[in-house]
Amino acid sequence: MVDARQIEAEIYERLSRVIDPELGRSVTDLGMIAAIQAVPSDQSDAYDVTVRVELTVEGCPLSETITNQINGAVASYPHAALTPHIEVSSMSRDKLADLVAGLKAERKQNPFTKPGVKTRIFAIASGKGGVGKSSVTANLAATFAALGYDTAAIDADIYGFSLPRLFGVRTQPTNLNGMLMPVTAWGVKLISIGMFAGADRAILWRGPRLQRSLEQFLSDVWWGEPDVLLLDLAPGTGDMAISVAQALPNAELVVVTTPQPSASDIAVRSGLVALQVPMKVRGVVENMSFYEHKGERLEIFGAGGGRRVSDQLTEALGYEVPLMAQLPLLPEVRETGEDGRPAVLAEDGSLADTPLARSFRELALDLMDAGSHKA
Ligand SMILES: Nc1ncnc2c1ncn2[C@@H]1O[C@H](COP(=O)(O)OP(=O)(O)O)[C@@H](O)[C@H]1O
Ligand SMILES: [Mg+2]
C-alpha cells in the first residue's frame, strides 16, 4: 500500500510541525529540508530514511535542538526505521539572503481569521474517495449561490482537484501584483490548483506542501468577505483537516459518506479528527443513498451508512451530529457535472425544479440556520 514517495510526503508533513525556535516558523517553511529519501530497508520491512537538513547557521547550540527534533519526528514515523540518517549542512549565502528577505517582507493575512468576520466555513470531508465529496461540494456551492449567498469555494484536494471541471472553468485566475482573483463560475468564486499551469502549478505543488497551498489560497487570493466558504478536502482522515482547523478556526466539518459499511467506517474516522483539533462537526451527508426506479427506491449501495456515521460521531463527540441529507444516485449528477454545470442548476443558472435541487436547498438552508457555529 505505502510507497516510498508517499512516505517521503508524510515525513515532510511531519517535519512541517518542527518549528525553528528562533524564527518561530517550521523547518519546511524555512526551506531547511533540502531532501528526503526513503528506501526499503534490507534489515526489516521498514524504510531507511535520509533527511538532508540545511541550517541557517551551522554549529550553534540551537542547531542541535533542531536536528534532535527532526530526528525525533522522523523516528516516530511508523514506516521509518528507528535511526534515520540526518545529514546536516548549512544554507548557501544566497539562500539565506532570500530567506531573510522573505521573512522581512510583510506577510499577507488570511482574511478569515479577522475578528468579526461573518463568513460561514464548511469543510467537506470524507474518509474514502469516490463517495461524491466533490460533487456534493460543487452542488452545494452552486445552491448557495443560486439562493443569493455570496459564495466561495476552495478546491483543497490538491492532488485530486476536480472543481474546475465540475464548474466548467477553463480560465486562469487574474494575477494583480501577486494578488490572485478567484474565477467566478455559476455564481461561485472558485480557486483550484487545477487552474494553474506550468511554473505556477509547480510552485504550489512543490514538495508535499499541502498546508502551504491552503494558506496560499487563503492569503494570496482576493476573497472579499463571502457569506459562505466551502472547502473540498482531500479524502483521508488527517492532516488536511488539521491544517484547516489551524488556518480556519471557524470551519465546520461536513462528513460525506455512502450507505455502505466500508465507506461509513472510514467516514467516522474522518470526523473523529475533531477530537484532536477544536473543530465542530456540523453534520453528515449520505450520498448515493438510493436509486429511484419506477417509483421504487433501490438501495444499490446498501443502507444505513449515514445514520451510522451520525450516531457514532454523536456518541464520540458528545454533541448532536445530525444526518442532514440523503441524496439520490442520479445519472444527471455525473453527466451535467462532466459538462461543467452542477446538476442542481438549470441552464440559466437558477435552481432547477427537481427533487435533487430541493434536497440541496434544504441542506444549504439547514447549514446556515444552525445559529452559532461556536457550539
Ligand atoms: N449522487 C450521485 N449520483 C450519481 N453519480 C454521482 C453522485 N455523486 C457522485 N457521483 C459520481 O461519482 C463519481 C465520484 O464522485 P466525486 O464527487 O468525484 O467523488 P469524491 O470527490 O468523493 O472522490 C463521479 O463520477 C461523480 O460524477
Ligand atoms: Mg473529489
Side-chain angles (χ1 to χ4, degrees):
M1 283 257 322
V2 285
D3 62 11
R5 258 210 70 206
Q6 187 186 344
I7 289 174
E8 288 161 7
E10 287 175 9
I11 287 176
Y12 189 93
E13 184 59 38
R14 279 186 180 230
L15 292 177
S16 73
R17 289 177 225 145
V18 174
I19 307 295
D20 179 301
E22 230 169 5
L23 298 171
R25 300 274 293 269
S26 78
V27 293
T28 53
D29 260 10
L30 295 169
M32 287 164 60
I33 305 301
I36 301 173
Q37 195 184 29
V39 290
S41 164
D42 43 22
Q43 319 269 317
S44 68
D45 51 10
Y47 279 72
D48 283 324
V49 176
T50 304
V51 178
R52 284 222 335 265
V53 182
E54 289 181 0
L55 298 172
T56 45
V57 192
E58 212 180 347
C60 71
L62 282 175
S63 73
E64 201 172 318
T65 317
I66 298 172
T67 31
N68 285 344
Q69 283 186 38
I70 290 173
N71 202 56
V74 180
S76 70
Y77 179 70
H79 298 291
L82 280 175
T83 41
H85 313 284
I86 311 287
E87 295 171 3
V88 182
S89 61
S90 54
M91 276 180 194
S92 70
R93 207 178 264 269
D94 282 352
K95 188 166 173 183
L96 186 59
D98 279 352
L99 169 66
V100 173
L103 287 170
K104 278 188 187 155
E106 190 161 330
R107 263 197 90 199
K108 276 174 267 168
Q109 287 296 312
N110 161 1
F112 298 105
T113 51
K114 277 194 314 225
V117 68
K118 68 175 194 304
T119 309
R120 291 289 296 271
I121 305 169
F122 301 105
I124 317 295
S126 72
K128 253 168 74 118
V131 299
K133 183 172 38 61
S134 298
S135 306
V136 168
T137 309
N139 281 289
L140 191 57
T143 302
F144 275 123
L147 289 173
Y149 291 101
D150 183 350
T151 307
I154 294 179
D155 199 343
D157 190 348
I158 303 294
Y159 297 118
F161 58 84
S162 53
L163 293 187
R165 188 172 44 81
L166 293 176
F167 280 87
V169 171
R170 280 177 209 86
T171 47
Q172 284 199 222
T174 310
N175 186 336
L176 285 184
N177 287 332
M179 184 62 89
L180 297 168
M181 300 293 131
V183 175
T184 302
W186 299 106
V188 179
K189 295 181 205 161
L190 291 164
I191 203 83
S192 168
I193 195 151
M195 296 170 179
F196 300 88
D200 289 341
R201 185 181 293 185
I203 289 169
L204 289 159
W205 281 82
R206 184 179 305 146
R209 308 186 83 175
L210 296 181
Q211 167 151 14
R212 287 280 296 150
S213 310
L214 178 65
E215 282 169 6
Q216 254 170 299
F217 283 163
L218 292 171
S219 58
D220 296 356
V221 177
W222 183 252
W223 291 112
E225 195 175 329
D227 301 312
V228 194
L229 170 66
L230 298 182
L231 291 107
D232 184 8
L233 300 189
T237 53
D239 285 341
M240 187 43 126
I242 292 171
S243 303
V244 170
Q246 285 167 348
L248 297 166
N250 288 340
E252 302 164 67
L253 206 66
V254 175
V255 176
V256 179
T257 183
T258 57
Q260 70 209 63
S262 63
S264 62
D265 286 350
I266 183 162
V268 170
R269 272 186 272 147
S270 74
L272 289 179
V273 72
L275 290 172
Q276 296 174 46
V277 290
M279 174 154 57
K280 173 154 196 208
V281 183
R282 179 65 185 87
V284 178
V285 171
E286 188 183 78
N287 188 31
M288 310 192 199
S289 298
F290 56 87
Y291 177 70
E292 199 143 330
H293 180 67
K294 296 186 178 149
E296 212 187 324
R297 288 191 165 194
L298 305 178
E299 292 172 334
I300 311 267
F301 292 117
R307 179 81 274 146
R308 205 158 37 235
V309 176
S310 156
D311 288 347
Q312 291 185 13
L313 288 178
T314 297
E315 192 183 323
L317 300 176
Y319 55 81
E320 176 72 8
V321 180
L323 174 57
M324 301 184 79
Q326 290 181 290
L327 305 169
L329 182 69
L330 207 65
E332 289 94 297
V333 170
R334 185 178 48 75
E335 289 159 9
T336 60
E338 275 167 12
D339 288 348
R341 170 162 54 97
V344 290
L345 298 182
E347 274 175 53
D348 67 358
S350 65
L351 217 48
D353 185 16
T354 59
L356 183 79
R358 280 191 286 279
S359 298
F360 270 99
R361 182 175 185 276
E362 216 170 292
L363 174 60
L365 294 176
D366 255 18
L367 285 168
M368 290 309 271
D369 250 19
S372 165
H373 50 285
K374 292 191 169 64

